[in-house]
PDB file of all heavy atoms in Angstrom:
ATOM      1  N   GLY A   1     -42.768 -16.536   9.959  1.00 95.00           N
ATOM      2  CA  GLY A   1     -42.311 -15.154   9.978  1.00 95.00           C
ATOM      3  C   GLY A   1     -40.846 -14.967  10.304  1.00 95.00           C
ATOM      4  O   GLY A   1     -40.446 -13.922  10.830  1.00 95.00           O
ATOM      5  N   VAL A   2     -40.019 -15.948  10.002  1.00 97.00           N
ATOM      6  CA  VAL A   2     -38.598 -15.877  10.347  1.00 97.00           C
ATOM      7  C   VAL A   2     -37.879 -14.856   9.468  1.00 97.00           C
ATOM      8  O   VAL A   2     -38.049 -14.835   8.251  1.00 97.00           O
ATOM      9  CB  VAL A   2     -37.939 -17.264  10.200  1.00 97.00           C
ATOM     10  CG1 VAL A   2     -36.437 -17.183  10.427  1.00 97.00           C
ATOM     11  CG2 VAL A   2     -38.579 -18.249  11.171  1.00 97.00           C
ATOM     12  N   THR A   3     -37.088 -14.016  10.093  1.00 96.00           N
ATOM     13  CA  THR A   3     -36.210 -13.108   9.355  1.00 96.00           C
ATOM     14  C   THR A   3     -34.785 -13.653   9.408  1.00 96.00           C
ATOM     15  O   THR A   3     -34.390 -14.296  10.380  1.00 96.00           O
ATOM     16  CB  THR A   3     -36.251 -11.684   9.950  1.00 96.00           C
ATOM     17  OG1 THR A   3     -35.678 -11.689  11.257  1.00 96.00           O
ATOM     18  CG2 THR A   3     -37.677 -11.173  10.039  1.00 96.00           C
ATOM     19  N   LEU A   4     -34.010 -13.375   8.365  1.00 95.00           N
ATOM     20  CA  LEU A   4     -32.674 -13.976   8.269  1.00 95.00           C
ATOM     21  C   LEU A   4     -31.537 -12.963   8.186  1.00 95.00           C
ATOM     22  O   LEU A   4     -30.385 -13.314   8.398  1.00 95.00           O
ATOM     23  CB  LEU A   4     -32.596 -14.900   7.047  1.00 95.00           C
ATOM     24  CG  LEU A   4     -33.454 -16.166   7.087  1.00 95.00           C
ATOM     25  CD1 LEU A   4     -33.224 -16.988   5.829  1.00 95.00           C
ATOM     26  CD2 LEU A   4     -33.154 -17.003   8.326  1.00 95.00           C
ATOM     27  N   HIS A   5     -31.819 -11.703   7.832  1.00 94.00           N
ATOM     28  CA  HIS A   5     -30.758 -10.706   7.644  1.00 94.00           C
ATOM     29  C   HIS A   5     -29.805 -11.164   6.536  1.00 94.00           C
ATOM     30  O   HIS A   5     -28.599 -11.334   6.760  1.00 94.00           O
ATOM     31  CB  HIS A   5     -29.992 -10.486   8.958  1.00 94.00           C
ATOM     32  CG  HIS A   5     -29.431  -9.109   9.098  1.00 94.00           C
ATOM     33  ND1 HIS A   5     -28.566  -8.759  10.111  1.00 94.00           N
ATOM     34  CD2 HIS A   5     -29.604  -7.982   8.367  1.00 94.00           C
ATOM     35  CE1 HIS A   5     -28.238  -7.494  10.005  1.00 94.00           C
ATOM     36  NE2 HIS A   5     -28.854  -6.997   8.962  1.00 94.00           N
ATOM     37  N   PRO A   6     -30.320 -11.352   5.321  1.00 96.00           N
ATOM     38  CA  PRO A   6     -29.492 -11.863   4.223  1.00 96.00           C
ATOM     39  C   PRO A   6     -28.317 -10.941   3.920  1.00 96.00           C
ATOM     40  O   PRO A   6     -28.389  -9.718   4.080  1.00 96.00           O
ATOM     41  CB  PRO A   6     -30.466 -11.909   3.037  1.00 96.00           C
ATOM     42  CG  PRO A   6     -31.821 -11.927   3.658  1.00 96.00           C
ATOM     43  CD  PRO A   6     -31.698 -11.119   4.900  1.00 96.00           C
ATOM     44  N   ALA A   7     -27.230 -11.541   3.449  1.00 96.00           N
ATOM     45  CA  ALA A   7     -26.000 -10.788   3.202  1.00 96.00           C
ATOM     46  C   ALA A   7     -25.335 -11.245   1.915  1.00 96.00           C
ATOM     47  O   ALA A   7     -25.484 -12.397   1.487  1.00 96.00           O
ATOM     48  CB  ALA A   7     -25.037 -10.964   4.377  1.00 96.00           C
ATOM     49  N   VAL A   8     -24.593 -10.327   1.294  1.00 96.00           N
ATOM     50  CA  VAL A   8     -23.742 -10.626   0.151  1.00 96.00           C
ATOM     51  C   VAL A   8     -22.393  -9.959   0.379  1.00 96.00           C
ATOM     52  O   VAL A   8     -22.246  -9.095   1.236  1.00 96.00           O
ATOM     53  CB  VAL A   8     -24.350 -10.119  -1.175  1.00 96.00           C
ATOM     54  CG1 VAL A   8     -25.589 -10.905  -1.548  1.00 96.00           C
ATOM     55  CG2 VAL A   8     -24.658  -8.617  -1.092  1.00 96.00           C
ATOM     56  N   ARG A   9     -21.413 -10.372  -0.410  1.00 96.00           N
ATOM     57  CA  ARG A   9     -20.109  -9.730  -0.333  1.00 96.00           C
ATOM     58  C   ARG A   9     -19.468  -9.708  -1.710  1.00 96.00           C
ATOM     59  O   ARG A   9     -19.847 -10.466  -2.607  1.00 96.00           O
ATOM     60  CB  ARG A   9     -19.193 -10.461   0.666  1.00 96.00           C
ATOM     61  CG  ARG A   9     -18.985 -11.942   0.343  1.00 96.00           C
ATOM     62  CD  ARG A   9     -17.651 -12.172  -0.292  1.00 96.00           C
ATOM     63  NE  ARG A   9     -17.449 -13.579  -0.630  1.00 96.00           N
ATOM     64  CZ  ARG A   9     -17.634 -14.073  -1.850  1.00 96.00           C
ATOM     65  NH1 ARG A   9     -18.084 -13.309  -2.820  1.00 96.00           N
ATOM     66  NH2 ARG A   9     -17.389 -15.347  -2.105  1.00 96.00           N
ATOM     67  N   VAL A  10     -18.519  -8.805  -1.892  1.00 96.00           N
ATOM     68  CA  VAL A  10     -17.728  -8.789  -3.118  1.00 96.00           C
ATOM     69  C   VAL A  10     -16.258  -8.919  -2.749  1.00 96.00           C
ATOM     70  O   VAL A  10     -15.838  -8.543  -1.643  1.00 96.00           O
ATOM     71  CB  VAL A  10     -17.939  -7.504  -3.956  1.00 96.00           C
ATOM     72  CG1 VAL A  10     -19.406  -7.313  -4.302  1.00 96.00           C
ATOM     73  CG2 VAL A  10     -17.378  -6.280  -3.249  1.00 96.00           C
ATOM     74  N   VAL A  11     -15.487  -9.477  -3.668  1.00 97.00           N
ATOM     75  CA  VAL A  11     -14.036  -9.565  -3.536  1.00 97.00           C
ATOM     76  C   VAL A  11     -13.441  -8.763  -4.684  1.00 97.00           C
ATOM     77  O   VAL A  11     -13.788  -8.985  -5.851  1.00 97.00           O
ATOM     78  CB  VAL A  11     -13.548 -11.027  -3.601  1.00 97.00           C
ATOM     79  CG1 VAL A  11     -12.027 -11.089  -3.483  1.00 97.00           C
ATOM     80  CG2 VAL A  11     -14.197 -11.856  -2.494  1.00 97.00           C
ATOM     81  N   ALA A  12     -12.564  -7.820  -4.357  1.00 97.00           N
ATOM     82  CA  ALA A  12     -11.993  -6.931  -5.370  1.00 97.00           C
ATOM     83  C   ALA A  12     -10.483  -7.121  -5.451  1.00 97.00           C
ATOM     84  O   ALA A  12      -9.798  -7.135  -4.426  1.00 97.00           O
ATOM     85  CB  ALA A  12     -12.317  -5.480  -5.033  1.00 97.00           C
ATOM     86  N   ARG A  13      -9.967  -7.266  -6.687  1.00 97.00           N
ATOM     87  CA  ARG A  13      -8.528  -7.463  -6.872  1.00 97.00           C
ATOM     88  C   ARG A  13      -7.837  -6.151  -7.234  1.00 97.00           C
ATOM     89  O   ARG A  13      -8.274  -5.417  -8.132  1.00 97.00           O
ATOM     90  CB  ARG A  13      -8.257  -8.499  -7.970  1.00 97.00           C
ATOM     91  CG  ARG A  13      -6.762  -8.764  -8.192  1.00 97.00           C
ATOM     92  CD  ARG A  13      -6.537  -9.832  -9.232  1.00 97.00           C
ATOM     93  NE  ARG A  13      -7.040  -9.458 -10.542  1.00 97.00           N
ATOM     94  CZ  ARG A  13      -6.423  -8.634 -11.404  1.00 97.00           C
ATOM     95  NH1 ARG A  13      -5.253  -8.071 -11.061  1.00 97.00           N
ATOM     96  NH2 ARG A  13      -6.955  -8.372 -12.578  1.00 97.00           N
ATOM     97  N   PHE A  14      -6.750  -5.878  -6.529  1.00 97.00           N
ATOM     98  CA  PHE A  14      -5.953  -4.675  -6.759  1.00 97.00           C
ATOM     99  C   PHE A  14      -4.567  -5.067  -7.288  1.00 97.00           C
ATOM    100  O   PHE A  14      -4.220  -6.246  -7.345  1.00 97.00           O
ATOM    101  CB  PHE A  14      -5.835  -3.868  -5.465  1.00 97.00           C
ATOM    102  CG  PHE A  14      -7.146  -3.264  -5.016  1.00 97.00           C
ATOM    103  CD1 PHE A  14      -8.060  -4.002  -4.275  1.00 97.00           C
ATOM    104  CD2 PHE A  14      -7.473  -1.956  -5.350  1.00 97.00           C
ATOM    105  CE1 PHE A  14      -9.272  -3.453  -3.872  1.00 97.00           C
ATOM    106  CE2 PHE A  14      -8.681  -1.397  -4.951  1.00 97.00           C
ATOM    107  CZ  PHE A  14      -9.583  -2.151  -4.218  1.00 97.00           C
ATOM    108  N   ASP A  15      -3.772  -4.054  -7.627  1.00 97.00           N
ATOM    109  CA  ASP A  15      -2.427  -4.314  -8.148  1.00 97.00           C
ATOM    110  C   ASP A  15      -1.413  -4.565  -7.047  1.00 97.00           C
ATOM    111  O   ASP A  15      -0.412  -5.269  -7.261  1.00 97.00           O
ATOM    112  CB  ASP A  15      -1.957  -3.127  -8.999  1.00 97.00           C
ATOM    113  CG  ASP A  15      -2.667  -3.050 -10.337  1.00 97.00           C
ATOM    114  OD1 ASP A  15      -3.131  -4.111 -10.811  1.00 97.00           O
ATOM    115  OD2 ASP A  15      -2.769  -1.937 -10.890  1.00 97.00           O
ATOM    116  N   ASP A  16      -1.650  -3.987  -5.880  1.00 97.00           N
ATOM    117  CA  ASP A  16      -0.664  -4.075  -4.802  1.00 97.00           C
ATOM    118  C   ASP A  16      -1.133  -5.022  -3.712  1.00 97.00           C
ATOM    119  O   ASP A  16      -2.332  -5.316  -3.576  1.00 97.00           O
ATOM    120  CB  ASP A  16      -0.388  -2.686  -4.212  1.00 97.00           C
ATOM    121  CG  ASP A  16      -1.654  -1.999  -3.742  1.00 97.00           C
ATOM    122  OD1 ASP A  16      -2.706  -2.139  -4.419  1.00 97.00           O
ATOM    123  OD2 ASP A  16      -1.631  -1.322  -2.694  1.00 97.00           O
ATOM    124  N   ALA A  17      -0.189  -5.492  -2.911  1.00 97.00           N
ATOM    125  CA  ALA A  17      -0.508  -6.415  -1.819  1.00 97.00           C
ATOM    126  C   ALA A  17      -1.210  -5.675  -0.687  1.00 97.00           C
ATOM    127  O   ALA A  17      -0.791  -4.591  -0.269  1.00 97.00           O
ATOM    128  CB  ALA A  17       0.758  -7.076  -1.301  1.00 97.00           C
ATOM    129  N   LEU A  18      -2.300  -6.267  -0.178  1.00 97.00           N
ATOM    130  CA  LEU A  18      -3.064  -5.700   0.926  1.00 97.00           C
ATOM    131  C   LEU A  18      -3.006  -6.569   2.175  1.00 97.00           C
ATOM    132  O   LEU A  18      -3.152  -6.075   3.289  1.00 97.00           O
ATOM    133  CB  LEU A  18      -4.527  -5.515   0.498  1.00 97.00           C
ATOM    134  CG  LEU A  18      -4.771  -4.551  -0.662  1.00 97.00           C
ATOM    135  CD1 LEU A  18      -6.234  -4.600  -1.083  1.00 97.00           C
ATOM    136  CD2 LEU A  18      -4.380  -3.145  -0.278  1.00 97.00           C
ATOM    137  N   ASN A  19      -2.832  -7.876   1.977  1.00 96.00           N
ATOM    138  CA  ASN A  19      -2.768  -8.815   3.108  1.00 96.00           C
ATOM    139  C   ASN A  19      -3.916  -8.557   4.095  1.00 96.00           C
ATOM    140  O   ASN A  19      -3.715  -8.276   5.272  1.00 96.00           O
ATOM    141  CB  ASN A  19      -1.422  -8.691   3.823  1.00 96.00           C
ATOM    142  CG  ASN A  19      -0.249  -9.044   2.933  1.00 96.00           C
ATOM    143  OD1 ASN A  19      -0.408  -9.761   1.935  1.00 96.00           O
ATOM    144  ND2 ASN A  19       0.936  -8.545   3.254  1.00 96.00           N
ATOM    145  N   GLY A  20      -5.127  -8.678   3.569  1.00 95.00           N
ATOM    146  CA  GLY A  20      -6.313  -8.330   4.339  1.00 95.00           C
ATOM    147  C   GLY A  20      -6.530  -9.129   5.604  1.00 95.00           C
ATOM    148  O   GLY A  20      -7.344  -8.737   6.453  1.00 95.00           O
ATOM    149  N   TRP A  21      -5.834 -10.228   5.755  1.00 95.00           N
ATOM    150  CA  TRP A  21      -5.955 -11.030   6.977  1.00 95.00           C
ATOM    151  C   TRP A  21      -5.241 -10.382   8.159  1.00 95.00           C
ATOM    152  O   TRP A  21      -5.403 -10.827   9.291  1.00 95.00           O
ATOM    153  CB  TRP A  21      -5.374 -12.424   6.727  1.00 95.00           C
ATOM    154  CG  TRP A  21      -3.964 -12.387   6.189  1.00 95.00           C
ATOM    155  CD1 TRP A  21      -2.814 -12.218   6.880  1.00 95.00           C
ATOM    156  CD2 TRP A  21      -3.567 -12.500   4.810  1.00 95.00           C
ATOM    157  NE1 TRP A  21      -1.721 -12.224   6.053  1.00 95.00           N
ATOM    158  CE2 TRP A  21      -2.153 -12.395   4.769  1.00 95.00           C
ATOM    159  CE3 TRP A  21      -4.267 -12.682   3.619  1.00 95.00           C
ATOM    160  CZ2 TRP A  21      -1.431 -12.468   3.578  1.00 95.00           C
ATOM    161  CZ3 TRP A  21      -3.547 -12.758   2.436  1.00 95.00           C
ATOM    162  CH2 TRP A  21      -2.150 -12.652   2.420  1.00 95.00           C
ATOM    163  N   ASP A  22      -4.467  -9.370   7.898  1.00 96.00           N
ATOM    164  CA  ASP A  22      -3.712  -8.702   8.958  1.00 96.00           C
ATOM    165  C   ASP A  22      -4.520  -7.511   9.473  1.00 96.00           C
ATOM    166  O   ASP A  22      -4.419  -6.399   8.966  1.00 96.00           O
ATOM    167  CB  ASP A  22      -2.359  -8.236   8.418  1.00 96.00           C
ATOM    168  CG  ASP A  22      -1.457  -7.660   9.502  1.00 96.00           C
ATOM    169  OD1 ASP A  22      -1.821  -7.762  10.684  1.00 96.00           O
ATOM    170  OD2 ASP A  22      -0.406  -7.103   9.163  1.00 96.00           O
ATOM    171  N   GLY A  23      -5.352  -7.759  10.481  1.00 96.00           N
ATOM    172  CA  GLY A  23      -6.228  -6.735  11.026  1.00 96.00           C
ATOM    173  C   GLY A  23      -7.508  -7.362  11.534  1.00 96.00           C
ATOM    174  O   GLY A  23      -7.732  -8.571  11.400  1.00 96.00           O
ATOM    175  N   ALA A  24      -8.359  -6.543  12.129  1.00 95.00           N
ATOM    176  CA  ALA A  24      -9.631  -7.046  12.638  1.00 95.00           C
ATOM    177  C   ALA A  24     -10.487  -7.567  11.492  1.00 95.00           C
ATOM    178  O   ALA A  24     -10.545  -6.959  10.415  1.00 95.00           O
ATOM    179  CB  ALA A  24     -10.370  -5.933  13.378  1.00 95.00           C
ATOM    180  N   LEU A  25     -11.152  -8.694  11.718  1.00 95.00           N
ATOM    181  CA  LEU A  25     -12.008  -9.272  10.688  1.00 95.00           C
ATOM    182  C   LEU A  25     -13.102  -8.286  10.287  1.00 95.00           C
ATOM    183  O   LEU A  25     -13.437  -8.150   9.115  1.00 95.00           O
ATOM    184  CB  LEU A  25     -12.614 -10.582  11.192  1.00 95.00           C
ATOM    185  CG  LEU A  25     -13.486 -11.363  10.211  1.00 95.00           C
ATOM    186  CD1 LEU A  25     -13.214 -12.845  10.322  1.00 95.00           C
ATOM    187  CD2 LEU A  25     -14.973 -11.102  10.477  1.00 95.00           C
ATOM    188  N   GLN A  26     -13.688  -7.596  11.259  1.00 97.00           N
ATOM    189  CA  GLN A  26     -14.705  -6.579  11.002  1.00 97.00           C
ATOM    190  C   GLN A  26     -14.366  -5.346  11.834  1.00 97.00           C
ATOM    191  O   GLN A  26     -14.172  -5.455  13.046  1.00 97.00           O
ATOM    192  CB  GLN A  26     -16.099  -7.092  11.364  1.00 97.00           C
ATOM    193  CG  GLN A  26     -16.566  -8.235  10.468  1.00 97.00           C
ATOM    194  CD  GLN A  26     -17.898  -8.784  10.917  1.00 97.00           C
ATOM    195  OE1 GLN A  26     -17.983  -9.526  11.880  1.00 97.00           O
ATOM    196  NE2 GLN A  26     -18.957  -8.415  10.205  1.00 97.00           N
ATOM    197  N   SER A  27     -14.317  -4.182  11.190  1.00 97.00           N
ATOM    198  CA  SER A  27     -13.917  -2.984  11.930  1.00 97.00           C
ATOM    199  C   SER A  27     -14.720  -1.738  11.595  1.00 97.00           C
ATOM    200  O   SER A  27     -14.700  -0.782  12.360  1.00 97.00           O
ATOM    201  CB  SER A  27     -12.422  -2.694  11.699  1.00 97.00           C
ATOM    202  OG  SER A  27     -12.149  -2.538  10.312  1.00 97.00           O
ATOM    203  N   VAL A  28     -15.422  -1.718  10.447  1.00 98.00           N
ATOM    204  CA  VAL A  28     -16.180  -0.527  10.065  1.00 98.00           C
ATOM    205  C   VAL A  28     -17.538  -0.926   9.498  1.00 98.00           C
ATOM    206  O   VAL A  28     -17.740  -2.069   9.072  1.00 98.00           O
ATOM    207  CB  VAL A  28     -15.440   0.324   9.013  1.00 98.00           C
ATOM    208  CG1 VAL A  28     -14.085   0.792   9.526  1.00 98.00           C
ATOM    209  CG2 VAL A  28     -15.273  -0.433   7.700  1.00 98.00           C
ATOM    210  N   TYR A  29     -18.445   0.034   9.492  1.00 98.00           N
ATOM    211  CA  TYR A  29     -19.752  -0.159   8.855  1.00 98.00           C
ATOM    212  C   TYR A  29     -20.261   1.187   8.368  1.00 98.00           C
ATOM    213  O   TYR A  29     -19.732   2.246   8.737  1.00 98.00           O
ATOM    214  CB  TYR A  29     -20.756  -0.778   9.828  1.00 98.00           C
ATOM    215  CG  TYR A  29     -21.336   0.193  10.838  1.00 98.00           C
ATOM    216  CD1 TYR A  29     -22.612   0.744  10.646  1.00 98.00           C
ATOM    217  CD2 TYR A  29     -20.615   0.587  11.962  1.00 98.00           C
ATOM    218  CE1 TYR A  29     -23.142   1.638  11.563  1.00 98.00           C
ATOM    219  CE2 TYR A  29     -21.146   1.473  12.879  1.00 98.00           C
ATOM    220  CZ  TYR A  29     -22.418   1.999  12.677  1.00 98.00           C
ATOM    221  OH  TYR A  29     -22.947   2.892  13.582  1.00 98.00           O
ATOM    222  N   SER A  30     -21.297   1.149   7.555  1.00 98.00           N
ATOM    223  CA  SER A  30     -21.963   2.367   7.117  1.00 98.00           C
ATOM    224  C   SER A  30     -23.469   2.168   7.145  1.00 98.00           C
ATOM    225  O   SER A  30     -23.977   1.163   6.639  1.00 98.00           O
ATOM    226  CB  SER A  30     -21.541   2.752   5.692  1.00 98.00           C
ATOM    227  OG  SER A  30     -22.248   3.904   5.262  1.00 98.00           O
ATOM    228  N   ASP A  31     -24.164   3.134   7.752  1.00 97.00           N
ATOM    229  CA  ASP A  31     -25.623   3.126   7.727  1.00 97.00           C
ATOM    230  C   ASP A  31     -26.149   4.167   6.735  1.00 97.00           C
ATOM    231  O   ASP A  31     -27.296   4.607   6.813  1.00 97.00           O
ATOM    232  CB  ASP A  31     -26.199   3.367   9.121  1.00 97.00           C
ATOM    233  CG  ASP A  31     -25.658   4.640   9.776  1.00 97.00           C
ATOM    234  OD1 ASP A  31     -25.024   5.456   9.080  1.00 97.00           O
ATOM    235  OD2 ASP A  31     -25.885   4.821  10.992  1.00 97.00           O
ATOM    236  N   HIS A  32     -25.298   4.552   5.776  1.00 98.00           N
ATOM    237  CA  HIS A  32     -25.649   5.568   4.788  1.00 98.00           C
ATOM    238  C   HIS A  32     -26.886   5.171   3.983  1.00 98.00           C
ATOM    239  O   HIS A  32     -27.659   6.044   3.542  1.00 98.00           O
ATOM    240  CB  HIS A  32     -24.457   5.778   3.839  1.00 98.00           C
ATOM    241  CG  HIS A  32     -24.623   6.897   2.861  1.00 98.00           C
ATOM    242  ND1 HIS A  32     -24.719   8.217   3.241  1.00 98.00           N
ATOM    243  CD2 HIS A  32     -24.717   6.885   1.492  1.00 98.00           C
ATOM    244  CE1 HIS A  32     -24.848   8.984   2.164  1.00 98.00           C
ATOM    245  NE2 HIS A  32     -24.860   8.198   1.096  1.00 98.00           N
ATOM    246  N   PHE A  33     -27.087   3.876   3.791  1.00 97.00           N
ATOM    247  CA  PHE A  33     -28.209   3.397   2.990  1.00 97.00           C
ATOM    248  C   PHE A  33     -29.293   2.747   3.860  1.00 97.00           C
ATOM    249  O   PHE A  33     -30.075   1.925   3.369  1.00 97.00           O
ATOM    250  CB  PHE A  33     -27.711   2.394   1.943  1.00 97.00           C
ATOM    251  CG  PHE A  33     -26.733   2.973   0.962  1.00 97.00           C
ATOM    252  CD1 PHE A  33     -25.363   2.831   1.164  1.00 97.00           C
ATOM    253  CD2 PHE A  33     -27.167   3.683  -0.144  1.00 97.00           C
ATOM    254  CE1 PHE A  33     -24.445   3.369   0.268  1.00 97.00           C
ATOM    255  CE2 PHE A  33     -26.261   4.225  -1.050  1.00 97.00           C
ATOM    256  CZ  PHE A  33     -24.894   4.075  -0.839  1.00 97.00           C
ATOM    257  N   ASP A  34     -29.355   3.119   5.114  1.00 96.00           N
ATOM    258  CA  ASP A  34     -30.362   2.528   5.998  1.00 96.00           C
ATOM    259  C   ASP A  34     -31.786   2.759   5.496  1.00 96.00           C
ATOM    260  O   ASP A  34     -32.667   1.913   5.688  1.00 96.00           O
ATOM    261  CB  ASP A  34     -30.221   3.092   7.417  1.00 96.00           C
ATOM    262  CG  ASP A  34     -29.315   2.225   8.288  1.00 96.00           C
ATOM    263  OD1 ASP A  34     -28.660   1.317   7.745  1.00 96.00           O
ATOM    264  OD2 ASP A  34     -29.266   2.453   9.512  1.00 96.00           O
ATOM    265  N   ALA A  35     -32.030   3.905   4.881  1.00 95.00           N
ATOM    266  CA  ALA A  35     -33.371   4.178   4.357  1.00 95.00           C
ATOM    267  C   ALA A  35     -33.763   3.177   3.281  1.00 95.00           C
ATOM    268  O   ALA A  35     -34.958   2.950   3.039  1.00 95.00           O
ATOM    269  CB  ALA A  35     -33.435   5.601   3.802  1.00 95.00           C
ATOM    270  N   GLU A  36     -32.782   2.566   2.646  1.00 96.00           N
ATOM    271  CA  GLU A  36     -33.031   1.532   1.643  1.00 96.00           C
ATOM    272  C   GLU A  36     -32.965   0.132   2.244  1.00 96.00           C
ATOM    273  O   GLU A  36     -33.046  -0.867   1.511  1.00 96.00           O
ATOM    274  CB  GLU A  36     -32.012   1.640   0.504  1.00 96.00           C
ATOM    275  CG  GLU A  36     -32.043   2.948  -0.259  1.00 96.00           C
ATOM    276  CD  GLU A  36     -31.018   2.984  -1.381  1.00 96.00           C
ATOM    277  OE1 GLU A  36     -30.981   2.018  -2.182  1.00 96.00           O
ATOM    278  OE2 GLU A  36     -30.248   3.955  -1.463  1.00 96.00           O
ATOM    279  N   GLY A  37     -32.776   0.041   3.563  1.00 96.00           N
ATOM    280  CA  GLY A  37     -32.690  -1.262   4.206  1.00 96.00           C
ATOM    281  C   GLY A  37     -31.380  -1.965   3.987  1.00 96.00           C
ATOM    282  O   GLY A  37     -31.315  -3.200   4.061  1.00 96.00           O
ATOM    283  N   ILE A  38     -30.304  -1.207   3.739  1.00 97.00           N
ATOM    284  CA  ILE A  38     -28.995  -1.789   3.447  1.00 97.00           C
ATOM    285  C   ILE A  38     -27.968  -1.264   4.442  1.00 97.00           C
ATOM    286  O   ILE A  38     -27.865  -0.062   4.653  1.00 97.00           O
ATOM    287  CB  ILE A  38     -28.542  -1.422   2.014  1.00 97.00           C
ATOM    288  CG1 ILE A  38     -29.504  -2.013   0.977  1.00 97.00           C
ATOM    289  CG2 ILE A  38     -27.115  -1.891   1.754  1.00 97.00           C
ATOM    290  CD1 ILE A  38     -29.275  -1.495  -0.430  1.00 97.00           C
ATOM    291  N   LYS A  39     -27.216  -2.171   5.037  1.00 98.00           N
ATOM    292  CA  LYS A  39     -26.107  -1.789   5.905  1.00 98.00           C
ATOM    293  C   LYS A  39     -24.833  -2.392   5.324  1.00 98.00           C
ATOM    294  O   LYS A  39     -24.774  -3.588   5.026  1.00 98.00           O
ATOM    295  CB  LYS A  39     -26.313  -2.276   7.341  1.00 98.00           C
ATOM    296  CG  LYS A  39     -25.320  -1.664   8.338  1.00 98.00           C
ATOM    297  CD  LYS A  39     -25.637  -2.079   9.765  1.00 98.00           C
ATOM    298  CE  LYS A  39     -26.976  -1.570  10.231  1.00 98.00           C
ATOM    299  NZ  LYS A  39     -27.037  -0.085  10.333  1.00 98.00           N
ATOM    300  N   LEU A  40     -23.817  -1.556   5.159  1.00 98.00           N
ATOM    301  CA  LEU A  40     -22.529  -2.005   4.643  1.00 98.00           C
ATOM    302  C   LEU A  40     -21.614  -2.350   5.809  1.00 98.00           C
ATOM    303  O   LEU A  40     -21.549  -1.607   6.791  1.00 98.00           O
ATOM    304  CB  LEU A  40     -21.884  -0.910   3.791  1.00 98.00           C
ATOM    305  CG  LEU A  40     -22.744  -0.298   2.680  1.00 98.00           C
ATOM    306  CD1 LEU A  40     -21.976   0.789   1.947  1.00 98.00           C
ATOM    307  CD2 LEU A  40     -23.217  -1.376   1.711  1.00 98.00           C
ATOM    308  N   VAL A  41     -20.893  -3.464   5.695  1.00 97.00           N
ATOM    309  CA  VAL A  41     -20.041  -3.921   6.788  1.00 97.00           C
ATOM    310  C   VAL A  41     -18.723  -4.429   6.227  1.00 97.00           C
ATOM    311  O   VAL A  41     -18.693  -5.293   5.338  1.00 97.00           O
ATOM    312  CB  VAL A  41     -20.715  -5.051   7.604  1.00 97.00           C
ATOM    313  CG1 VAL A  41     -19.839  -5.450   8.779  1.00 97.00           C
ATOM    314  CG2 VAL A  41     -22.089  -4.628   8.094  1.00 97.00           C
TER     315      VAL A  41
END
């Protein structure tokens, strides 16, 4: 009965520099889809 909390991610390319490494690794989330069992992070 082990649960794992499976996760996926996407990488999106933009035209301008974002330098995403400059900032907290994780800072926001959304529980908007909690009824569907999905949490965005």
Side-chain angles (χ1 to χ4, degrees):
V2 175
T3 67
L4 293 182
H5 210 189
V8 291
R9 57 102 181 99
V10 303
V11 179
R13 181 177 63 79
F14 292 84
D15 287 335
D16 55 322
L18 298 173
N19 298 338
W21 54 81
D22 186 8
L25 183 139
Q26 294 176 283
S27 57
V28 301
Y29 78 100
S30 177
D31 54 12
H32 186 65
F33 298 96
D34 268 10
E36 299 181 50
I38 297 170
K39 191 175 296 294
L40 308 179
V41 183

